[in-house]
Amino acid sequence: MTEAILLVGGKGTRLRPLTVHTPKPMVRAAGVPFLTHQLARARAAGVEHIVLATSYLAEVFEPYFGDGASMGLHIEYVTEEEPLGTGGAIRNVASRLHSGPDDPVLVFNGDILTGLDIRRLVSTHETTGADVSLHLTKVSDPRAYGLVPTDDSGRVLAFLEKPQTPEEIVTDQINAGAYVFRRSVIDTIPHGRPVSVERETFPDLLEAGAHLQGMVDSTYWLDLGTPAAFVRGSADLVLGRAPSPALPGRCGDRLILPTATVAPDAKLTGGTVVGEGAFVAEGARVFGSTILPGAVIEPGAVITDSLIGTRARVGERSVLTGTVIGDDAVVGADNELRDGARIWCNAEIPAGAVRFSSDQ
């Protein structure tokens, strides 16, 4: 098993303003672009050749990763002129694969943080003789996901849309976004038009009698599609809850990147990351948050479960909880921003302009 496709073409609209200038897989999680963690885990599992299926802001990937040699990989890049969906993207890069017709090809979604045992998924695929094998995970509340029931041997029985009623919840197993395809199956996906593997490819294969195998692996799994999830995923990487060979430091309560400056009495906990060239001033308290490169946290600011964009500034005594601050934005002193607030890139909030409590 030597080849993989990483689907990294999405626009990341749910993550804006983080993705205004940066494609979702390149947003920094635990100090490095999130894609770095995925590439490192694939390499650790024995993958040598990876094709990145890019679209949105495609030009930023290759200057950063190059040919992949520094990570022990051979990386190629294929850019979609128009978004093709998950299935269309897989088919679009097929010409770059070197595998034979019956060889396994791994496919990963570019926004999933997981502790999946990749070698076990490939082994399951080979021993069952499946056409496609899927990583499935169990969730406590499956209403937000498509369901994938299997028989006692793990063979997939159906792909069910998000359940609307309790009676429709026939399993707690969901598609976790990692697959192994028999190489020849990729060539059956229609070429040159948008295709969803979840809504079209997999159901059509099942209807045609193909063997789709599910493997339940309930280790760490998180969809990083929302700002809150992305911040949590970064913190979990720093804390060691999510595994990655690419963490640029040791696991612990905080990760301070080279050239960052943190005042001696500033308190950083909960998996907080302070990026290169960022500055955290005296008396600041930062819990479970990501401070991107060049950002400034002024004295006495309190930041919880938030992400502060590149070169952004948070003023003195401002309190941020569950907030995203875009690149180059400025939050003046004595503001209070709460769960779900998103401050756009380059925006400026005057001192004391937004509050949820008295100014006294």
Side-chain angles (χ1 to χ4, degrees):
M1 182 267 295
T2 61
E3 290 197 294
I5 299 169
L6 259 72
L7 305 176
V8 293
K11 291 185 176 181
T13 52
R14 290 185 297 158
L15 278 176
R16 288 168 72 87
L18 296 180
T19 51
V20 170
H21 304 302
T22 307
K24 177 167 52 176
M26 295 299 288
V27 177
R28 288 175 178 254
V32 296
F34 174 67
L35 180 56
T36 309
H37 299 290
Q38 290 188 305
L39 293 171
R41 294 201 72 245
R43 182 66 191 95
V47 175
E48 297 170 358
H49 178 220
I50 292 184
V51 184
L52 296 187
T54 68
S55 179
Y56 176 65
L57 297 176
E59 66 277 6
V60 309
F61 292 94
E62 189 167 2
Y64 189 91
F65 292 107
D67 62 3
S70 64
M71 300 186 72
L73 291 164
H74 174 210
I75 299 177
E76 294 188 67
Y77 306 83
V78 177
T79 301
E80 303 163 28
E81 298 305 320
E82 296 292 333
L84 294 172
T86 47
I90 293 168
R91 181 66 179 86
N92 192 51
V93 307
S95 63
R96 302 296 185 93
L97 299 172
H98 309 314
S99 303
D102 291 326
D103 290 338
V105 177
L106 272 158
V107 178
F108 299 106
N109 281 342
D111 55 2
I112 302 296
L113 177 60
T114 176
L116 168 67
D117 185 338
I118 298 171
R119 291 182 186 272
R120 180 173 159 239
L121 181 62
V122 176
S123 176
T124 297
H125 176 79
E126 292 176 331
T127 57
T128 59
D131 295 300
V132 181
S133 298
L134 298 86
H135 171 208
L136 306 179
T137 193
K138 293 179 180 288
V139 295
S140 56
D141 184 359
R143 289 176 298 177
Y145 304 95
L147 309 184
V148 187
T150 55
D151 66 15
D152 292 341
S153 69
R155 189 159 180 157
V156 174
L157 299 174
F159 292 89
L160 306 175
E161 292 297 323
K162 296 175 183 178
Q164 304 299 312
T165 66
E167 292 74 26
E168 292 179 286
I169 302 176
V170 298
T171 181
D172 58 357
Q173 296 175 175
I174 66 165
N175 177 358
Y179 320 112
V180 183
F181 277 76
R182 187 191 301 273
R183 169 66 183 86
S184 57
V185 173
I186 292 176
D187 290 329
T188 68
I189 300 172
H191 189 255
R193 69 168 175 85
V195 180
S196 164
V197 289
E198 300 87 354
R199 296 182 180 86
E200 183 175 346
T201 303
F202 293 157
D204 286 357
L205 284 169
L206 207 58
E207 188 175 351
H211 179 178
L212 276 67
Q213 185 73 22
M215 187 197 81
V216 177
D217 183 309
S218 294
T219 52
Y220 185 99
W221 184 86
L222 186 64
D223 177 348
L224 301 184
T226 66
F230 200 95
V231 170
R232 191 171 112 216
S234 177
D236 284 347
L237 284 161
V238 175
L239 293 166
R241 294 172 181 165
S244 172
L247 191 71
R250 293 162 59 177
C251 292
D253 226 20
R254 63 184 191 173
L255 176 64
I256 301 173
L257 276 292
T259 71
T261 302
V262 177
D265 67 342
K267 186 175 182 181
L268 311 178
T269 57
T272 287
V273 183
V274 183
E276 295 93 337
F279 175 68
V280 181
E282 60 272 13
R285 289 179 286 153
V286 187
F287 177 84
S289 297
T290 295
I291 313 299
L292 290 182
V296 174
I297 311 302
E298 294 187 358
V302 180
I303 299 173
T304 303
D305 298 336
S306 297
L307 191 146
I308 312 304
T310 303
R311 298 176 304 276
R313 178 179 290 267
V314 177
E316 295 182 58
R317 298 174 302 280
S318 281
V319 178
L320 278 58
T321 303
T323 299
V324 174
I325 307 299
D327 297 341
D328 296 293
V330 177
V331 177
D334 299 306
N335 280 290
E336 293 179 332
L337 301 177
R338 289 188 177 177
D339 292 330
R342 305 185 190 208
I343 306 305
W344 233 248
C345 302
N346 300 295
E348 295 192 22
I349 298 180
V354 179
R355 299 192 62 84
F356 287 83
S357 62
S358 166
D359 61 351
Q360 298 300 318

